[in-house]
Amino acid sequence: MRKNKKGNEISFIGKKDWNGKSSLNFGGGNRNTKKSERKSIADAQLQMTVQNVKRLIVALQNQQDASSKTRDGKNQRVIIGIIVDLQKEVHVLADELNASMEGSKAPTEERLRGGFTVVCEAAGAIEQQCELQETEVDCNEAAISGWNDIASVITNSLQNENGKPSPKKASLVKLQNNEAEELFISIVKPIASMLNVRWSAEDSTIVPVSLFTKKSSHRKILALLNCLGAFLAGFGFNLQLQEHVCRLVTRIIIPLLEFDLRSQFTGTRSFPISNVLSIQVAAMHTVVRILRWKQCSSALLAPQMVDMDDVNDPNEMKTSSKLLASLVQIINSDDYLQLEDTNWVCQACQCLTTILENMNALKGKQKSLYGVDVSGQNQIANIYKWVHKTLQCEIDRRLSKGHSLWWYSLDLLKTVVRLYPKVCSQYWSLFLPQVTSYSPSKKTKGSTTVDLLSIMSLQNESSMLSEEKVMAKLCCKEILEALPLHLWSRSGYLAGRIESSLNLVIRSTAVHLSIDCPQKEQVATYSLAVTIFVSIPFEKYILLKEPAIEVIDQMGKNYSMYGLHGGLGLEVVVQSLANCMGGQETPDGEISSLPLPTCEWLKRPASAIFLSRIFNKMAEISSHEVIEKGFQTMIQMTLFVRIIRSSTWILMGDKSRLDALVELTTLLLASEDNALKIIGADLLSAFIIGRKGAGKFEGDIPFAVYAYLDTVLTVHDSKVRCSALNTLSLLEFNTWKRLIVSDQNPLQLMMQMSLEYSGDLDSKVRSEACKALGNVMTTFMRGISWLPMGSPVRDCLHQNIEETIQVAASAMEDSNANVRSMALFAIGNIAFDTAMSQEWEFIKLLPMLQLCDLSYNRLFDNNEKVINNAIRTSGNVFHLANIEGCGEKTVALDQTSWVRLCSLFLQTLGSKINRAIQDVIEVSNERSWKQRMNSKKQAWGACQTCSPILQLSGKLQGIDREAVRNGILQLVYCVEYAQKTNEKITTAAVSSLSEIGKEMWLSIFNTDGTRGLCLSACLAIASLGSLPFGVKENVHAIMLTILPCLDDHDITTCLKHNGEHNEIGQKNIEYLYGWMVHNEVGPVLFEIFGKNLSNPSLRYDVSITQKFHSRAIFEARKRRRSVGDYNAMLDSEEDSDEDEL
């Protein structure tokens, strides 16, 4: 006999052998045999319990059928008895399943699945009877127990070896998609029934008050929600019908979260706060479980991503199913913060954090569909305020389980600041100190306001506070990264406020760096210190320089301390020091500068110990024949590379430092270890980059070190070859002069590596080789002018340039997009720098027609980067063809081909410009945000490239007038829609239009009104006060060129042009009149404008018409009086009544 947990006896008959003796073994025998026998017993017990549950389910169904026919009260009592027995057996079965999964070897997948399916079937049968027996307490208790049993089995199936839930670990219980869907429906339907909602209908949900006041209803809804949360954790990925998830949240979860406790229980003595909050916590937990699965997250949050600021009616807001709004509504209730139990508010923080993270991820994917900036919603601002309130609460900082309320609220703050930094600029003062004096040792309990700095400065009376301090430092880091400090430096008031706050933060950080603390807290402190140096523009906040120097000085002292004995802290210190040294490559390819405090510290005697320690370490490393590739050695060499790159000037005046650099670099490049070779190449690159920015720098690395790079190119590791190519691309001209005529000339090998079939097999290496060739050719072309004619180096450069062009032209047909892109980059560099040199001997080396043909083909590439580089390269080659004397000789050899190319390019580039314009005119959901951004980039490049093509077209005979007209028209449209496109496109289009001569305006356009359209577009943006000076100059140049070409039709087109955003009105005509007077335009144009303005259909004020007429008369008089008293003429103009009405 055995007993379950409630003491119910359940018989078990052991398997007997042939002579009637039981097969159960009680002691003795082999241990493995005993384990196997115990497992067999457990399996047999499990199977018997499964059969018992199935038998009771059948009995319950049969009894229910009989009861429905006779309607006898005796049958009802029998049914209740069966339900109670079934509940007990289900509980036993759940315990057995849990015990079997906790063992060293779980049952087979089929057996677990069968047992779990029976548990679910029994719970569903009990729930069905519970709906029929609503008044019976036993039925309700049995249903609650059944749902709790299902939740316990699922939870145990997700446990790892330590007994903790692991969401990434697959469940031991496996279900098919259809089985999971059936279980989901069986759980959700009872919840919908308790909320008086029909699951398949679309009626509104009104949560009944009895759900919170009636004990049995409260316990059951909790059991169902907990079971639902467990199901979603284990089988959420099985839900293929995502509308189920949306319906669950909109019909059940959100109504529960939106339940207004105060409005429902106004006037009663006791509010069932604990009941309401426990249900809402379970609902929040369910939401968190849903959002762990990507497909469910997208289905749930996509309908929620609506702009809540557009909703004015509160009732409309409720019916719009806004998950974020319902949660913020809960946390905004001040009454809840006074409760002793803070578990519910911790769960609210976690739920909000998860929702915001998922909404941000979804916003990036579906920006083209929704285009909503959640950071502008009031809910985000309310979260900032609420987190501030939670930090002021006099509550227990530590829960019995999990983290504290402070931890959860700070985690929420960290997420909100990171995802929505714009709102942070309004509420930062709630979390950073706003006092002029601050004591780091000040206790929080007695302070009036708790901020991040006060939490950071709490004394470690117990280890419980460490996690809160870590989170406070991370929040402070996120706030510093989010604040627009560059912009605020222009405002005296804002700059003063933030400067005083940051001063306290920086000084507190310096204090924390000097204190021993747990590792997590140490990492957070150093992370905050790095953010201080990276985010603050110290040149605009001078008062912060000295406190920051204290921070970097303490980090240097810590390095010297850890450098003596190593330890776990060394990695954090070294990496943080490296990040405070600048020298990092930015996304646009630039190298970040050395922060001002770091620069000042390195110049002071206080840094001598640090510098001595790092150089001594490098000398010690290079003193060994073989470098020990330890982790601490590698990270210290990485720090050394960063110091050399950003602070090369520290090598001046100390030969020992330069010698240490040379010895270490040589040893690293000669090492057999590929990782060390890469560091050696990086160190050499750092020295080259740093020396360029160090001004006058005396001393160099021996030529033999540079020459050694030729051998590094042949290393098998592709990462090493890429690093060596990058270093070669940085070499200065004086170094290349020696390399190119030496036996170690790497240029031929670099060319070979660029080719696909006869070169390097790795596309990354081929791409890096093409990029390096482009940079090397730029170095050649900029330094070759200093070489005398006929010198061996100059002749060698000629040959290498010609070979590089052919290699790059071949690489433009590579199968890899990055290689094609870098090959175009190389050709573009060569063409640009050749045009700058304007030397015929170099220009004749370039096969310009071949390069234009190849570039044109790449305009239709399937890779956006290749297209962008093809546009740039084409512009550089056409610019080369426009050079007077040199380029014209090449063009004259085959005008027909150049006419063909100009037409093709203008048509294709015009279509790319038009695509970007159509994107801003007609926003379509079919085109993603990324596609529209790429179109803008291509349009910007196309506007620039059109300029040299149009210039060359004006010199050619037989050019396609329609292609030229279309190209110019697209540039005009860019100006017309300047308010919708971006500034780069407008600037490029205006620049290209300003290069068009008067002859082309007259020859290409006759009476179609295009010149008038261009004038109207120019007038619309010329009158803008925010237009950059360079752009305004070009706009005026276009107007000055185009005005003499205008006829009546053009002027009428201009005056009638009423574009959506560039409507020409009285203000624009007033601006035109003043500009024409300033530029002394002739009387004919004033007269023509005056005549056209007199047209009644235009409805311009008669005063502006009279101004043009009067100015025409004045300009005519001025021209007739070539001699005479000019002042008298001015007087007569002032006294004339011809301009009066």
Side-chain angles (χ1 to χ4, degrees), residues 495-517:
R497 284 186 63 196
I498 192 63
E499 194 170 41
S500 62
S501 294
L502 293 180
N503 185 22
L504 297 174
V505 172
I506 296 172
R507 292 187 183 278
S508 177
T509 304
V511 172
H512 290 132
L513 288 171
S514 63
I515 300 173
D516 289 334
C517 57

PDB file of all heavy atoms in Angstrom, residues 495-517:
ATOM      1  N   ALA A 495      23.227  74.717 -19.000  1.00  0.00           N
ATOM      2  CA  ALA A 495      24.618  74.303 -18.847  1.00  0.00           C
ATOM      3  C   ALA A 495      25.057  74.404 -17.388  1.00  0.00           C
ATOM      4  O   ALA A 495      25.753  73.520 -16.871  1.00  0.00           O
ATOM      5  CB  ALA A 495      25.522  75.159 -19.731  1.00  0.00           C
ATOM      6  N   GLY A 496      24.632  75.472 -16.694  1.00  0.00           N
ATOM      7  CA  GLY A 496      24.999  75.628 -15.296  1.00  0.00           C
ATOM      8  C   GLY A 496      24.386  74.558 -14.413  1.00  0.00           C
ATOM      9  O   GLY A 496      25.047  74.006 -13.521  1.00  0.00           O
ATOM     10  N   ARG A 497      23.103  74.243 -14.650  1.00  0.00           N
ATOM     11  CA  ARG A 497      22.431  73.218 -13.845  1.00  0.00           C
ATOM     12  C   ARG A 497      23.071  71.853 -14.021  1.00  0.00           C
ATOM     13  O   ARG A 497      23.389  71.160 -13.059  1.00  0.00           O
ATOM     14  CB  ARG A 497      20.948  73.142 -14.229  1.00  0.00           C
ATOM     15  CG  ARG A 497      20.082  74.254 -13.686  1.00  0.00           C
ATOM     16  CD  ARG A 497      18.630  73.978 -14.007  1.00  0.00           C
ATOM     17  NE  ARG A 497      18.178  72.747 -13.348  1.00  0.00           N
ATOM     18  CZ  ARG A 497      17.063  72.092 -13.687  1.00  0.00           C
ATOM     19  NH1 ARG A 497      16.316  72.555 -14.685  1.00  0.00           N
ATOM     20  NH2 ARG A 497      16.703  71.012 -13.055  1.00  0.00           N
ATOM     21  N   ILE A 498      23.246  71.453 -15.282  1.00  0.00           N
ATOM     22  CA  ILE A 498      23.777  70.114 -15.521  1.00  0.00           C
ATOM     23  C   ILE A 498      25.241  70.036 -15.113  1.00  0.00           C
ATOM     24  O   ILE A 498      25.723  68.981 -14.679  1.00  0.00           O
ATOM     25  CB  ILE A 498      23.585  69.724 -17.007  1.00  0.00           C
ATOM     26  CG1 ILE A 498      23.851  68.229 -17.203  1.00  0.00           C
ATOM     27  CG2 ILE A 498      24.491  70.532 -17.911  1.00  0.00           C
ATOM     28  CD1 ILE A 498      22.921  67.330 -16.479  1.00  0.00           C
ATOM     29  N   GLU A 499      25.953  71.147 -15.221  1.00  0.00           N
ATOM     30  CA  GLU A 499      27.368  71.135 -14.849  1.00  0.00           C
ATOM     31  C   GLU A 499      27.530  70.887 -13.346  1.00  0.00           C
ATOM     32  O   GLU A 499      28.401  70.117 -12.927  1.00  0.00           O
ATOM     33  CB  GLU A 499      28.026  72.448 -15.253  1.00  0.00           C
ATOM     34  CG  GLU A 499      29.545  72.397 -15.225  1.00  0.00           C
ATOM     35  CD  GLU A 499      30.161  73.630 -15.864  1.00  0.00           C
ATOM     36  OE1 GLU A 499      29.637  74.750 -15.614  1.00  0.00           O
ATOM     37  OE2 GLU A 499      31.146  73.474 -16.596  1.00  0.00           O
ATOM     38  N   SER A 500      26.672  71.516 -12.539  1.00  0.00           N
ATOM     39  CA  SER A 500      26.769  71.308 -11.093  1.00  0.00           C
ATOM     40  C   SER A 500      26.409  69.875 -10.714  1.00  0.00           C
ATOM     41  O   SER A 500      27.024  69.274  -9.828  1.00  0.00           O
ATOM     42  CB  SER A 500      25.856  72.290 -10.364  1.00  0.00           C
ATOM     43  OG  SER A 500      24.499  72.065 -10.723  1.00  0.00           O
ATOM     44  N   SER A 501      25.427  69.301 -11.404  1.00  0.00           N
ATOM     45  CA  SER A 501      25.044  67.921 -11.118  1.00  0.00           C
ATOM     46  C   SER A 501      26.141  66.949 -11.539  1.00  0.00           C
ATOM     47  O   SER A 501      26.497  66.027 -10.799  1.00  0.00           O
ATOM     48  CB  SER A 501      23.738  67.574 -11.841  1.00  0.00           C
ATOM     49  OG  SER A 501      22.661  68.318 -11.333  1.00  0.00           O
ATOM     50  N   LEU A 502      26.677  67.158 -12.745  1.00  0.00           N
ATOM     51  CA  LEU A 502      27.725  66.259 -13.234  1.00  0.00           C
ATOM     52  C   LEU A 502      28.991  66.368 -12.388  1.00  0.00           C
ATOM     53  O   LEU A 502      29.723  65.381 -12.231  1.00  0.00           O
ATOM     54  CB  LEU A 502      28.044  66.571 -14.703  1.00  0.00           C
ATOM     55  CG  LEU A 502      26.924  66.265 -15.706  1.00  0.00           C
ATOM     56  CD1 LEU A 502      27.374  66.620 -17.118  1.00  0.00           C
ATOM     57  CD2 LEU A 502      26.517  64.800 -15.636  1.00  0.00           C
ATOM     58  N   ASN A 503      29.229  67.533 -11.847  1.00  0.00           N
ATOM     59  CA  ASN A 503      30.396  67.707 -10.973  1.00  0.00           C
ATOM     60  C   ASN A 503      30.309  66.762  -9.767  1.00  0.00           C
ATOM     61  O   ASN A 503      31.281  66.111  -9.386  1.00  0.00           O
ATOM     62  CB  ASN A 503      30.475  69.168 -10.533  1.00  0.00           C
ATOM     63  CG  ASN A 503      31.735  69.458  -9.731  1.00  0.00           C
ATOM     64  OD1 ASN A 503      32.721  68.744  -9.828  1.00  0.00           O
ATOM     65  ND2 ASN A 503      31.695  70.509  -8.938  1.00  0.00           N
ATOM     66  N   LEU A 504      29.102  66.677  -9.186  1.00  0.00           N
ATOM     67  CA  LEU A 504      28.905  65.782  -8.047  1.00  0.00           C
ATOM     68  C   LEU A 504      29.033  64.322  -8.458  1.00  0.00           C
ATOM     69  O   LEU A 504      29.618  63.502  -7.745  1.00  0.00           O
ATOM     70  CB  LEU A 504      27.533  66.034  -7.432  1.00  0.00           C
ATOM     71  CG  LEU A 504      27.304  67.424  -6.833  1.00  0.00           C
ATOM     72  CD1 LEU A 504      25.856  67.576  -6.397  1.00  0.00           C
ATOM     73  CD2 LEU A 504      28.243  67.661  -5.660  1.00  0.00           C
ATOM     74  N   VAL A 505      28.475  63.996  -9.628  1.00  0.00           N
ATOM     75  CA  VAL A 505      28.544  62.611 -10.103  1.00  0.00           C
ATOM     76  C   VAL A 505      29.989  62.194 -10.345  1.00  0.00           C
ATOM     77  O   VAL A 505      30.423  61.095  -9.963  1.00  0.00           O
ATOM     78  CB  VAL A 505      27.705  62.446 -11.386  1.00  0.00           C
ATOM     79  CG1 VAL A 505      27.925  61.063 -12.005  1.00  0.00           C
ATOM     80  CG2 VAL A 505      26.226  62.659 -11.095  1.00  0.00           C
ATOM     81  N   ILE A 506      30.774  63.076 -10.986  1.00  0.00           N
ATOM     82  CA  ILE A 506      32.169  62.739 -11.313  1.00  0.00           C
ATOM     83  C   ILE A 506      32.993  62.588 -10.045  1.00  0.00           C
ATOM     84  O   ILE A 506      33.788  61.643  -9.914  1.00  0.00           O
ATOM     85  CB  ILE A 506      32.760  63.812 -12.240  1.00  0.00           C
ATOM     86  CG1 ILE A 506      32.013  63.820 -13.579  1.00  0.00           C
ATOM     87  CG2 ILE A 506      34.238  63.566 -12.479  1.00  0.00           C
ATOM     88  CD1 ILE A 506      32.382  64.974 -14.491  1.00  0.00           C
ATOM     89  N   ARG A 507      32.813  63.501  -9.099  1.00  0.00           N
ATOM     90  CA  ARG A 507      33.589  63.402  -7.850  1.00  0.00           C
ATOM     91  C   ARG A 507      33.210  62.141  -7.071  1.00  0.00           C
ATOM     92  O   ARG A 507      34.068  61.481  -6.481  1.00  0.00           O
ATOM     93  CB  ARG A 507      33.369  64.656  -7.005  1.00  0.00           C
ATOM     94  CG  ARG A 507      33.967  65.915  -7.625  1.00  0.00           C
ATOM     95  CD  ARG A 507      33.880  67.111  -6.689  1.00  0.00           C
ATOM     96  NE  ARG A 507      34.393  68.314  -7.323  1.00  0.00           N
ATOM     97  CZ  ARG A 507      35.688  68.636  -7.401  1.00  0.00           C
ATOM     98  NH1 ARG A 507      36.597  67.809  -6.860  1.00  0.00           N
ATOM     99  NH2 ARG A 507      36.073  69.748  -7.985  1.00  0.00           N
ATOM    100  N   SER A 508      31.931  61.806  -7.067  1.00  0.00           N
ATOM    101  CA  SER A 508      31.502  60.587  -6.386  1.00  0.00           C
ATOM    102  C   SER A 508      32.094  59.358  -7.067  1.00  0.00           C
ATOM    103  O   SER A 508      32.496  58.397  -6.401  1.00  0.00           O
ATOM    104  CB  SER A 508      29.975  60.500  -6.382  1.00  0.00           C
ATOM    105  OG  SER A 508      29.535  59.308  -5.801  1.00  0.00           O
ATOM    106  N   THR A 509      32.184  59.383  -8.390  1.00  0.00           N
ATOM    107  CA  THR A 509      32.773  58.261  -9.131  1.00  0.00           C
ATOM    108  C   THR A 509      34.240  58.080  -8.768  1.00  0.00           C
ATOM    109  O   THR A 509      34.724  56.948  -8.605  1.00  0.00           O
ATOM    110  CB  THR A 509      32.622  58.485 -10.642  1.00  0.00           C
ATOM    111  OG1 THR A 509      31.244  58.691 -10.965  1.00  0.00           O
ATOM    112  CG2 THR A 509      33.147  57.298 -11.431  1.00  0.00           C
ATOM    113  N   ALA A 510      34.958  59.184  -8.636  1.00  0.00           N
ATOM    114  CA  ALA A 510      36.372  59.106  -8.244  1.00  0.00           C
ATOM    115  C   ALA A 510      36.516  58.471  -6.860  1.00  0.00           C
ATOM    116  O   ALA A 510      37.433  57.673  -6.618  1.00  0.00           O
ATOM    117  CB  ALA A 510      36.997  60.500  -8.263  1.00  0.00           C
ATOM    118  N   VAL A 511      35.602  58.807  -5.941  1.00  0.00           N
ATOM    119  CA  VAL A 511      35.649  58.222  -4.598  1.00  0.00           C
ATOM    120  C   VAL A 511      35.388  56.721  -4.658  1.00  0.00           C
ATOM    121  O   VAL A 511      36.076  55.915  -4.024  1.00  0.00           O
ATOM    122  CB  VAL A 511      34.624  58.920  -3.679  1.00  0.00           C
ATOM    123  CG1 VAL A 511      34.529  58.202  -2.343  1.00  0.00           C
ATOM    124  CG2 VAL A 511      35.012  60.376  -3.478  1.00  0.00           C
ATOM    125  N   HIS A 512      34.381  56.324  -5.460  1.00  0.00           N
ATOM    126  CA  HIS A 512      34.045  54.907  -5.550  1.00  0.00           C
ATOM    127  C   HIS A 512      35.165  54.091  -6.192  1.00  0.00           C
ATOM    128  O   HIS A 512      35.325  52.904  -5.879  1.00  0.00           O
ATOM    129  CB  HIS A 512      32.752  54.724  -6.352  1.00  0.00           C
ATOM    130  CG  HIS A 512      31.538  55.200  -5.632  1.00  0.00           C
ATOM    131  ND1 HIS A 512      30.588  56.006  -6.220  1.00  0.00           N
ATOM    132  CD2 HIS A 512      31.113  55.010  -4.361  1.00  0.00           C
ATOM    133  CE1 HIS A 512      29.639  56.280  -5.353  1.00  0.00           C
ATOM    134  NE2 HIS A 512      29.935  55.678  -4.214  1.00  0.00           N
ATOM    135  N   LEU A 513      35.935  54.700  -7.086  1.00  0.00           N
ATOM    136  CA  LEU A 513      37.053  53.989  -7.715  1.00  0.00           C
ATOM    137  C   LEU A 513      38.157  53.664  -6.708  1.00  0.00           C
ATOM    138  O   LEU A 513      38.950  52.751  -6.937  1.00  0.00           O
ATOM    139  CB  LEU A 513      37.634  54.820  -8.863  1.00  0.00           C
ATOM    140  CG  LEU A 513      36.788  54.920 -10.134  1.00  0.00           C
ATOM    141  CD1 LEU A 513      37.380  55.934 -11.095  1.00  0.00           C
ATOM    142  CD2 LEU A 513      36.676  53.559 -10.812  1.00  0.00           C
ATOM    143  N   SER A 514      38.195  54.401  -5.640  1.00  0.00           N
ATOM    144  CA  SER A 514      39.241  54.182  -4.640  1.00  0.00           C
ATOM    145  C   SER A 514      38.815  53.242  -3.527  1.00  0.00           C
ATOM    146  O   SER A 514      39.577  52.987  -2.597  1.00  0.00           O
ATOM    147  CB  SER A 514      39.661  55.526  -4.028  1.00  0.00           C
ATOM    148  OG  SER A 514      38.566  56.123  -3.337  1.00  0.00           O
ATOM    149  N   ILE A 515      37.594  52.721  -3.599  1.00  0.00           N
ATOM    150  CA  ILE A 515      37.046  51.879  -2.529  1.00  0.00           C
ATOM    151  C   ILE A 515      36.956  50.444  -3.021  1.00  0.00           C
ATOM    152  O   ILE A 515      36.538  50.189  -4.148  1.00  0.00           O
ATOM    153  CB  ILE A 515      35.649  52.386  -2.101  1.00  0.00           C
ATOM    154  CG1 ILE A 515      35.733  53.836  -1.595  1.00  0.00           C
ATOM    155  CG2 ILE A 515      35.039  51.480  -1.048  1.00  0.00           C
ATOM    156  CD1 ILE A 515      34.384  54.447  -1.308  1.00  0.00           C
ATOM    157  N   ASP A 516      37.328  49.502  -2.171  1.00  0.00           N
ATOM    158  CA  ASP A 516      37.147  48.088  -2.488  1.00  0.00           C
ATOM    159  C   ASP A 516      35.658  47.758  -2.438  1.00  0.00           C
ATOM    160  O   ASP A 516      34.947  48.160  -1.515  1.00  0.00           O
ATOM    161  CB  ASP A 516      37.895  47.207  -1.486  1.00  0.00           C
ATOM    162  CG  ASP A 516      39.401  47.290  -1.678  1.00  0.00           C
ATOM    163  OD1 ASP A 516      39.818  47.584  -2.818  1.00  0.00           O
ATOM    164  OD2 ASP A 516      40.146  47.075  -0.698  1.00  0.00           O
ATOM    165  N   CYS A 517      35.197  47.010  -3.425  1.00  0.00           N
ATOM    166  CA  CYS A 517      33.781  46.676  -3.504  1.00  0.00           C
ATOM    167  C   CYS A 517      33.628  45.367  -4.262  1.00  0.00           C
ATOM    168  O   CYS A 517      34.571  44.903  -4.917  1.00  0.00           O
ATOM    169  CB  CYS A 517      32.996  47.797  -4.182  1.00  0.00           C
ATOM    170  SG  CYS A 517      33.589  48.207  -5.830  1.00  0.00           S
TER     171      CYS A 517
END
